[in-house]
């Protein structure tokens, strides 16, 4: 037999708070799905019907736990964002989150878990979105004062809150360094950026004096009445910001001048390249012109040579034709002379019978004498 458990008589409100505390511990340790109504009732030393009576089931009590944690964290951040200077707001918001992580580890573990749909308040992302909506108003005012587009404030608010929230999630288990140093480094990155990181960041005196835990009302009262020292710190902080802004503007001006010089150099280089290309093109055109003129001269010379050769060929052909004609003519004359000579050399014995002896002798004597070419030509004529 089990020993009867001693039950403490509580009011309904006290019993409800007890069940919330017990459930908060179990949900932080095991999550929603890993926790049962039986475990909640056993840890609170009550029966299951008591839990159902107050919350209607595990979903109901889980929704109350998550809602309380979210409201507590949002209240801390809201109080921190009421500080005057933007950097002080950022420092205190980072400290508020880290303080919540340190003092309410169980609640933060519940929030960063994948919240169950039964919670009625959404997931950790919705919590980040709620905090970002409060930061958004602060950033919008600062963007307008600095000449930036206020429409970008929601995006930057998500970036800023997400960076702080994820750092808190990491610090939940690391716990080193202490929360003030973690907050200082967070603000160092968020406020100065990577190009202006401080080697040894620290919180401002205004934020450092407000580190002890206090209620929201007390925090608001302390912020409503800033001391002279806080005002001096804020003034020094404004001067430092002004100097940093001047440095940034000077750096931007130098960068713009450098860009202008680079652009001028680039334009000058382009002009030189264009002049060089133009000169090369002119040289190419001139060379092509000379080549064309040279080709035309060669063609004219070749045509002249061909004409002279044609004239010589025509003269040669005419000469050959004349020589051929002369040879033909001379050949006909020779043939005629030879024919005459042949006729003159024929024996005249039969003819001598019919003519007188005297005439025959005279004729033979004339024929036997050698005839010259002139005589042959005369005879031929």
């Amino acid at each position: 037999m089990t020993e009867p458990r001693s039950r403490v008589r509580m009011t309904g409100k006290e019993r409800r708070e007890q069940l919330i505390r017990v459930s908060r511990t179990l949900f932080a340790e095991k999550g929603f799905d890993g926790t049962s109504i039986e475990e909640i009732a056993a840890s609170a030393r009550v029966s299951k019907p008591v839990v159902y009576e107050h919350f209607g089931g595990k979903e109901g009590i889980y929704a109350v736990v998550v809602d309380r944690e979210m409201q507590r964290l949002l209240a801390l951040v809201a109080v921190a964002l009421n500080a005057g200077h933007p950097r002080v707001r950022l420092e205190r918001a980072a400290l508020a989150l880290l303080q919540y992580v340190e003092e309410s580890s169980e609640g933060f573990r519940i929030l960063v878990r994948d919240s169950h749909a039964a919670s009625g308040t959404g997931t950790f992302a919705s919590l980040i979105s709620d905090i970002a909506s409060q930061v958004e108003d602060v950033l919008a005012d600062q963007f307008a004062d600095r000449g930036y587009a206020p429409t970008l404030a929601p995006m930057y608010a998500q970036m800023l809150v997400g960076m702080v929230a994820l750092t808190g999630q990491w610090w939940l288990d690391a716990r080193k360094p202490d929360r003030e140093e973690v907050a200082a480094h967070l603000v160092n990155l968020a406020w100065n950026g990577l190009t202006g990181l401080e080697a040894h960041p620290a919180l401002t005196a205004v934020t450092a004096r407000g580190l002890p835990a206090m209620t929201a009302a007390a925090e608001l009262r302390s912020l409503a009445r800033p001391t002279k020292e806080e005002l001096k710190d804020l003034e020094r902080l404004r001067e430092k910001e002004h100097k940093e802004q001047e440095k940034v503007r000077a750096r931007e001006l130098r960068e713009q001048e450098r860009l202008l010089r680079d652009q001028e150099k680039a334009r000058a280089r382009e002009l030189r390249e264009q002049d060089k290309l133009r000169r090369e093109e002119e040289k190419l055109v001139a060379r092509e012109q000379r080549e064309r003129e040279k080709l035309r001269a060669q063609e004219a010379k070749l045509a002249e040579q061909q004409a002279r050769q044609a004239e010589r060929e025509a003269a040669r052909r005419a000469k050959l034709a004349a020589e051929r004609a002369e040879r033909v003519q001379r050949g006909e004359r020779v043939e005629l002379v030879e024919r005459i000579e042949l006729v003159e050399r024929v024996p005249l014995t039969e003819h001598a019978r019919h003519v007188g002896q005297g005439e025959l002798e005279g004729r033979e004597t004339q024929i036997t004498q050698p005839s010259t070419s002139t005589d042959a030509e005369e005879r031929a004529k």
Side-chain angles (χ1 to χ4, degrees), residues 47 72 79 117 125 224 301 313:
S47 60
R72 182 179 180 183
V79 170
K301 184 177 180 180
E313 183 67 20

Side-chain angles (χ1 to χ4, degrees), residues 1-14:
M1 295 178 58
T2 59
E3 296 182 359
R5 292 177 298 179
S6 59
R7 300 183 60 178
V8 179
R9 299 291 299 178
M10 295 182 182
T11 63
K13 183 178 180 180
E14 292 174 341

Side-chain angles (χ1 to χ4, degrees), residues 6-266:
S6 59
R7 300 183 60 178
V8 179
R9 299 291 299 178
M10 295 182 182
T11 63
K13 183 178 180 180
E14 292 174 341
R15 181 64 67 186
R16 180 182 178 88
E17 292 299 324
Q18 180 209 19
L19 291 173
I20 292 174
R21 289 194 303 271
V22 170
S23 300
R24 180 174 179 266
T25 302
L26 291 173
F27 288 141
E29 180 182 355
K30 299 182 178 182
F32 177 83
D33 294 329
T35 304
S36 62
I37 289 291
E38 289 80 0
E39 289 178 309
I40 295 174
S43 298
R45 296 187 177 183
V46 296
S47 60
K48 290 170 53 179
V50 174
V51 180
Y52 287 114
E53 179 183 353
H54 285 278
F55 300 101
K58 185 174 68 171
E59 292 80 4
I61 194 170
Y62 181 78
V64 173
V65 170
V66 172
D67 184 66
R68 281 195 176 189
E69 296 302 325
M70 291 186 66
Q71 294 303 323
R72 182 179 180 183
L73 179 55
L74 288 173
L76 289 173
V77 175
V79 170
L81 292 176
N82 284 325
H85 194 273
R87 177 160 184 167
V88 175
R89 296 183 187 184
L90 180 58
E91 289 177 345
R92 293 196 175 186
L95 278 175
L97 176 63
L98 296 176
Q99 178 182 347
Y100 173 77
V101 172
E102 186 176 31
E103 297 177 356
S104 303
S105 300
E106 292 181 349
F108 190 72
R109 290 185 187 279
I110 294 174
L111 293 179
V112 297
R113 286 181 184 271
D114 47 340
S115 300
H116 196 270
S119 63
T121 54
T123 62
F124 184 60
S126 65
L127 173 64
I128 297 302
S129 180
D130 292 339
I131 298 176
S133 63
Q134 300 183 37
V135 178
E136 175 184 336
D137 297 333
V138 179
L139 292 180
D141 296 338
Q142 292 299 315
F143 279 19
D145 294 340
R146 297 171 185 266
Y148 302 146
T151 54
L152 298 176
M155 179 177 66
Y156 277 88
Q158 292 286 342
M159 296 177 186
L160 184 60
V161 175
M163 179 180 69
V164 176
L166 290 178
T167 303
Q169 189 173 355
W170 164 81
W171 192 68
L172 176 64
D173 296 321
R175 296 301 177 93
K176 289 182 180 181
D178 57 27
R179 68 184 183 188
E180 289 79 11
E181 186 174 354
V182 174
H185 284 283
L186 273 172
V187 175
N188 186 26
L189 177 59
W191 190 261
N192 297 318
L194 289 174
T195 57
L197 285 178
E198 298 174 354
H200 303 286
L203 299 176
T204 59
V206 176
T207 302
R209 280 194 295 271
L211 287 178
M214 56 182 67
T215 63
E219 183 74 13
L220 289 174
R221 286 194 300 271
S222 65
L223 292 173
R225 296 188 303 275
T227 63
K228 292 182 179 181
E229 294 180 358
E230 291 177 344
L231 291 175
K232 290 180 180 179
D233 290 338
L234 290 175
E235 185 64 27
R236 285 194 294 269
L237 187 59
R238 291 192 190 96
E239 292 178 357
K240 182 179 178 181
E241 287 182 0
H242 181 71
K243 292 179 181 178
E244 290 177 352
Q245 291 174 1
E246 290 294 333
K247 290 180 181 179
V248 170
R249 282 194 291 269
R251 186 164 57 249
E252 290 177 352
L253 288 175
R254 290 194 298 270
E255 185 67 20
Q256 291 176 358
E257 292 176 356
R258 186 183 65 80
L259 291 176
L260 288 175
R261 288 195 299 270
D262 292 342
Q263 291 175 358
E264 290 294 332
K265 290 180 181 179

